[in-house]
Amino acid sequence: PMSDHPNPPKAANAPPVRQTGVKFQSRPSMLSSEHPENNYRGLVNVLIILLVCGNLRIIIQNIYKYGLLVDFFNILHLFYDPWLLLSLVVFGNIAIAYGIEFVASSGKNTGLFTALHVINALSTFGIQWAGLWILNIQAGGAVISLVYSSVGMMKIFSFAMVCAKLREELKGKDQGFMPTVGQLAYFIAAPTLVFSTHYPRSERVRWRWLGRRVVEFLAIWAAIYFIAIQYIVPGLVNTLRPMEMRQPYRDFIFVAEGLLKIAVPNFIVWMLGFYSIFHLYLNILAEIICFGDREFYRDWWNSTTVGYFWRSWNLPVHSWMVEHVHGPLSRRGWSRQAVALVIFFISAVMHELIVSIPFRNFRLLAFAGMMAQVPLIKLTDRFKASQTGNVIFWLSIMLGQPMIVLLYGRDSIKGLSGPWNQADTAFWASFLGNSSAP
């Protein structure tokens, strides 16, 4: 039968009739997450332009307010301090480690040689600590010296433990093991903390590539020095003033503002420091000695959990912890949680010593910050593989460090020391008193 409708609808499965020159089809908007081609390059470019313009304004404002505070010739005094000579003591400990291993290769009194290795490795750091404290060396050189001695200590521990393991394995085959001087020397120069008799090697040194990396390394550390002197130090001093007015509740907003001012340049310095050390410096060392394994970090910037960050941002230390702490304790039946607690305890102690000794103040903030990572890892595990987890990770990095810098800086300027001092008592007494007032 004929329909009374002038334009009867077609069946649902009938092909559409093209009524205009415009082609309609089911497709998402360009900014939708389900769009197959999410290309935001133009938006990224404009964000970079805005970032450059915003920071250029801050640079002009800073120089107009404080003048040029940086004197690059002052950095040369680092090379005249005794810390350079003090750092050479590490090579003495390395020689002693080889001597102990040479005698231990006889296979007699293994326990005694293990004790000697432990004492020698710990003295690598202890001698530096005592020397820096007695000579009262300035903070910059002291930090470099302690980091250098920490690396030496970890290398000596690894050398001793791996040699003992190889010697035990070959003992059942009626064979002995004694590393050569060349193997130890290559390990000391290599950008790794785990000893091995063989490493992957590259074919040759790329001198032009090496030269560019050296120039980048020097330029980035010049930028770090500029940012620290021109921005972080004035911001630190300005933030301390409201804390000294004995009215911190009223001026709490100014303290928060100061923390945010410190947070941005502090974060930039941290990022530049990571790139200069883990990408440039370690690759420079690897290129010079043709070291083939260049995976010094993974994509930690995409971390959605704090646990992934600690497993991926510093692979040399992570590999050392896995080989010489996690592995032995796990084989002895320790639980995963207990092993993780031991690893973070060791890391917390080392962070605290490297910060506290140069500033002559055992504030325990670095220690507490590292130990706080254990519950934070559990907290962020629920946000694994999510944008929320990545945001929490970045906020913990960007906002946690400025507070530690502020408190260590305050105590260093005022000559205070200890986990709790009179400045803390005065601040919190005034803060709580004002907050409880009607």
Side-chain angles (χ1 to χ4, degrees), residues 5-290:
H5 197 285
N7 295 303
K10 294 186 177 182
N13 58 354
V17 176
R18 187 167 182 175
Q19 300 175 353
T20 67
V22 179
K23 184 179 179 180
F24 294 98
Q25 64 183 35
S26 297
R27 49 192 170 185
S29 300
M30 285 294 297
L31 294 177
S32 299
S33 59
E34 61 266 22
H35 197 281
E37 299 178 2
N38 287 328
N39 189 343
Y40 303 132
R41 182 175 300 175
L43 293 177
V44 171
N45 289 338
V46 75
L47 288 176
I48 292 174
I49 293 172
L50 290 174
L51 185 64
V52 170
C53 291
N55 281 278
L56 184 61
R57 179 192 65 82
I58 294 174
I59 291 173
I60 295 173
Q61 185 181 42
N62 178 275
I63 294 177
Y64 178 78
K65 183 176 182 180
Y66 300 108
L68 189 63
L69 303 176
V70 177
D71 182 3
F72 285 102
F73 289 102
N74 284 340
I75 202 172
L76 296 177
H77 76 275
L78 283 175
F79 303 100
Y80 298 100
D81 274 2
W83 71 268
L84 280 172
L85 293 175
L86 193 60
S87 298
L88 296 178
V89 175
V90 175
F91 291 100
N93 292 99
I94 293 170
I96 293 173
Y98 188 81
I100 295 172
E101 197 58 35
F102 180 80
V103 180
S105 61
S106 63
K108 298 178 181 179
N109 206 343
T110 305
L112 173 63
F113 295 125
T114 300
L116 291 175
H117 270 307
V118 171
I119 294 171
N120 180 51
L122 293 176
S123 68
T124 305
F125 188 86
I127 292 173
Q128 298 285 323
W129 176 4
L132 295 171
W133 193 274
I134 294 171
L135 298 175
N136 196 18
I137 294 175
Q138 54 83 32
V143 169
I144 297 173
S145 179
L146 288 173
V147 171
Y148 179 70
S149 63
S150 299
V151 170
M153 178 180 67
M154 296 173 77
K155 281 179 177 280
I156 290 174
F157 267 122
S158 181
F159 174 71
M161 296 176 74
V162 172
C163 286
K165 180 180 178 181
L166 293 175
R167 195 163 48 249
E168 189 66 25
E169 291 177 354
L170 294 174
K171 186 178 180 180
K173 302 177 182 180
D174 294 330
Q175 298 178 12
F177 173 76
M178 179 60 203
T180 65
V181 175
Q183 289 170 339
L184 176 58
Y186 189 85
F187 168 57
I188 295 302
T192 179
L193 297 175
V194 178
F195 175 71
S196 177
T197 56
H198 297 90
Y199 296 102
R201 305 287 289 271
S202 55
E203 295 181 357
R204 60 184 178 84
V205 178
R206 299 168 293 173
W207 293 107
R208 289 187 178 180
W209 183 92
L210 180 62
R212 290 194 296 270
R213 300 294 84 78
V214 171
V215 171
E216 285 181 29
F217 180 79
L218 296 176
I220 285 180
W221 276 99
I224 289 175
Y225 180 73
F226 177 83
I227 295 171
I229 300 299
Q230 192 70 37
Y231 294 94
I232 296 180
V233 173
L236 182 63
V237 173
N238 289 338
T239 307
L240 292 178
R241 289 171 183 167
M243 298 176 67
E244 297 173 353
M245 292 180 179
R246 299 294 184 266
Q247 294 179 330
Y249 184 73
R250 189 193 68 180
D251 297 315
F252 182 78
I253 188 67
F254 297 107
V255 176
E257 180 194 15
L259 283 175
L260 292 176
K261 283 183 177 180
I262 296 173
V264 175
N266 181 81
F267 177 71
I268 294 174
V269 165
W270 187 82
M271 289 292 292
L272 290 176
F274 163 80
Y275 182 79
S276 65
I277 294 173
F278 291 96
H279 184 71
L280 295 178
Y281 177 70
L282 295 183
N283 268 292
I284 288 170
L285 290 180
E287 190 70 21
I288 292 173
I289 64 172
C290 297

Side-chain angles (χ1 to χ4, degrees), residues 349-371:
V349 170
M350 295 307 299
H351 276 79
E352 182 63 35
L353 292 176
I354 290 174
V355 174
S356 297
I357 294 171
F359 291 99
R360 307 177 74 83
N361 180 14
F362 289 92
R363 183 74 178 167
L364 299 181
L365 291 174
F367 178 86
M370 286 301 301
M371 293 306 296

